[in-house]
């Protein structure tokens, strides 16, 4: 089995867990990593072989200082352009570097957890692909911006297919019709359940429940105060946000709650490392914190699913429209809330750093305040229905998880 990781803790944690399961059953696994990320792979996936690939561009294009806070038009390639990557040369060069590793390692199957050139390289070398992706990685997932479709007013969202399809043509592959095909495979493993996930299941989509260690029936240590766990991912050069500062103000002022805050550099500016601010923690400690939590603040990806599997309600502050769709699902089931500021109307803008001529729909300066954060936390914790609704989704996720053996599914595609 071969996979690729270059950022995004939840993605690596899932692949590392799957690799551990495969290795326990006698299979060999390798993960490609950029040099900058290899040490983190060693930490989260001990014992897995690593191939370092220099997949960063030699020079970066000029980047605007203030990127969109939240844009429904941000597809993967557009976002990479906005961060300064040369598009076509990058896709072609990175695909070639991945192909070199594939031909040296000769895997039976490639597991693609949201990496854009990995599928092209695998197809070029006739290796089957297992996709491990949330709904936003699949064409059966929600159209970007769908949860506010009425605000799009039939204006098309820009596509960035050319760079991928030029690369595919170079290796005699059929063109993509939708950019999200990048994240699909011969088998799509969706780490969720139908009741929670805003996808439309197809024949090669299989719900497998959360991919990582399931919750254990722990006896929570006695707490005088409810525990709030915060993990808003900040990888992939996500734009600055008011959230760390607002959260720090809540932690300082709130006397009736305990907090465990995970994150990197942008949080370190507002917290001292200690009992409250934990930095980036190992996967098992992350899951153990969720086991003990009474409420989880998340952007709405992997952490949302793992919190709900533990019957813990969520407060969601998404980065993308797909994550907002997940938050909408959780809220519709009564298991959490979408932060109210995301209910604001979309604003249309042209941003040369993303697309020089096509207006983009998004929230460009989203206010996140300590007062509103505190109000949302109180509302979720004080209304017992949120915990009961999360427990209902936990049961559905558990049933979905029990239906399949992940190793058998991956091996089946490899055969």
């Amino acid at each position: 089995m071969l996979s690729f990781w270059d950022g995004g803790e939840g993605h690596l944690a899932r692949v590392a867990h799957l690799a551990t399961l495969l290795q326990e059953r006698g299979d060999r696994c390798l993960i490609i990593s950029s040099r900058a990320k290899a040490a983190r792979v060693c930490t989260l996936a001990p014992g897995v072989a690593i191939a370092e690939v220099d997949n960063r561009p030699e020079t970066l294009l000029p980047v605007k200082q203030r990127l969109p806070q939240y844009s429904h038009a941000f597809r993967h390639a557009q976002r990479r352009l906005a961060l300064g990557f040369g598009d076509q040369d990058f896709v072609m060069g990175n695909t070639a570097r991945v192909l070199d590793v594939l031909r040296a390692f000769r895997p039976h199957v490639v597991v693609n957890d949201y990496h854009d050139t990995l599928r092209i390289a695998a197809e070029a070398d006739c290796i089957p692909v297992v996709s491990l992706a949330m709904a936003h990685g699949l064409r059966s997932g929600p159209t970007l911006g769908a949860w506010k479709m009425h605000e799009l007013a039939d204006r098309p969202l820009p596509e960035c297919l050319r760079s991928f399809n030029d690369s595919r043509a170079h290796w005699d592959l059929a063109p993509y019709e939708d950019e999200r095909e990048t994240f699909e495979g011969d088998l799509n493993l969706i780490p969720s359940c139908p009741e929670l996930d805003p996808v439309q299941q197809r024949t090669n989509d299989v719900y497998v429940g959360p991919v990582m260690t399931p919750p254990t029936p722990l006896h929570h240590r006695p707490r005088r105060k409810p525990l709030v766990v915060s993990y808003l991912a900040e990888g992939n050069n996500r734009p600055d946000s008011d959230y760390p500062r607002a959260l720090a103000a809540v932690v300082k002022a709130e006397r009736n709650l305990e907090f465990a805050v995970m994150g990197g550099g942008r949080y370190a500016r507002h917290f001292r490392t200690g009992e409250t601010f934990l930095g980036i923690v190992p996967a098992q400690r992350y899951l153990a914190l969720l086991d003990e939590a009474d409420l989880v603040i998340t952007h709405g990806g992997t952490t949302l699913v793992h919190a709900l599997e533990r019957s813990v309600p969520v407060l969601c502050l998404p980065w993308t429209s797909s994550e907002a769709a997940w938050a909408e699902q959780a809220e519709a089931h009564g298991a959490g809330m979408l932060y109210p500021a995301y209910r604001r109307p979309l604003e249309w803008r042209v941003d040369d750093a993303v697309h020089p001529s096509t207006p983009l729909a998004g929230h460009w300066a989203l206010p996140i305040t300590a007062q509103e954060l505190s109000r949302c936390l109180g509302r979720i914790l004080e209304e017992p229905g949120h915990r009961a609704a999360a427990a209902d989704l936990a049961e559905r996720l558990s049933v979905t998880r029990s239906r399949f053996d992940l190793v058998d599914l991956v091996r089946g595609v490899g055969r």
Side-chain angles (χ1 to χ4, degrees), residues 40-111:
R40 189 64 184 155
V41 177
C42 289
T43 300
L44 287 184
V48 175
I50 299 171
E52 292 186 13
V53 172
D54 187 11
N55 69 319
R56 303 301 179 94
E58 294 181 3
T59 58
L60 296 179
L61 301 174
V63 181
K64 286 199 171 186
Q65 294 299 310
R66 176 100 178 150
L67 294 177
Q69 172 76 16
Y70 174 79
S71 174
H72 292 265
F74 252 13
R75 294 202 174 193
H76 198 74
Q78 291 173 321
R79 191 164 187 282
R80 189 175 63 245
L81 280 170
L83 296 174
F85 287 93
D87 193 37
Q88 177 53 44
D89 291 343
F90 175 79
V91 171
M92 192 76 74
N94 206 36
T95 303
R97 285 186 282 272
V98 173
L99 258 173
D100 287 342
V101 180
L102 286 170
R103 288 168 177 166
F105 188 65
R106 303 308 309 164
H108 292 89
V109 63
V110 165
V111 174

Side-chain angles (χ1 to χ4, degrees), residues 201-395:
Q201 190 168 9
R202 299 169 301 168
T203 55
N204 62 335
D205 296 347
V206 178
Y207 290 98
V208 293
V211 177
M212 279 169 69
T213 306
T216 54
L218 295 175
H219 295 292
H220 287 238
R221 63 185 177 89
R223 287 187 179 277
R224 293 184 298 106
K225 304 174 184 178
L227 174 64
V228 175
V229 174
S230 167
Y231 181 43
L232 258 64
E234 56 175 327
N236 300 320
N237 300 312
R238 295 178 192 266
D240 284 335
S241 163
D242 295 335
Y243 175 72
R245 185 187 302 275
L247 178 64
V250 172
V251 170
K252 184 177 180 180
E254 183 57 68
R255 303 301 180 193
N256 297 315
L257 300 175
E258 293 183 8
F259 290 88
V261 178
M262 290 178 280
R266 68 180 64 184
Y267 291 89
R269 296 195 295 268
H270 304 284
F271 294 90
R272 290 183 178 180
T273 302
E275 290 185 5
T276 297
F277 177 57
L278 307 174
I280 298 295
V281 303
Q284 290 309 312
R285 189 178 182 194
Y286 152 82
L287 292 174
L289 282 168
L290 299 187
D291 279 330
E292 294 195 23
D294 295 282
L295 188 156
V296 170
I297 307 174
T298 172
H299 56 286
T302 303
T303 300
L304 177 144
V305 179
H306 289 306
L308 293 176
E309 189 186 25
R310 286 156 172 79
S311 304
V312 180
V314 291
L315 173 61
C316 301
L317 290 85
W319 288 104
T320 67
S321 59
S322 55
E323 291 163 355
W326 278 77
E328 286 271 281
Q329 291 291 104
E331 186 172 274
H333 283 278
M337 285 178 58
L338 177 67
Y339 188 75
Y342 292 88
R343 302 293 183 190
R344 301 172 71 192
L346 300 179
E347 178 186 355
W348 288 89
R349 286 192 188 182
V350 172
D351 189 318
D352 292 340
V354 181
H355 199 284
S357 59
T358 305
L360 306 177
H363 295 143
W364 297 82
L366 201 64
I368 301 172
T369 66
Q371 182 179 11
E372 186 64 15
L373 268 179
S374 183
R375 189 190 71 81
C376 292
L377 296 178
R379 179 179 165 188
I380 295 172
L381 289 168
E382 291 165 12
E383 296 178 4
H386 290 107
R387 187 90 190 193
D392 181 64
L393 285 173
E395 177 63 26

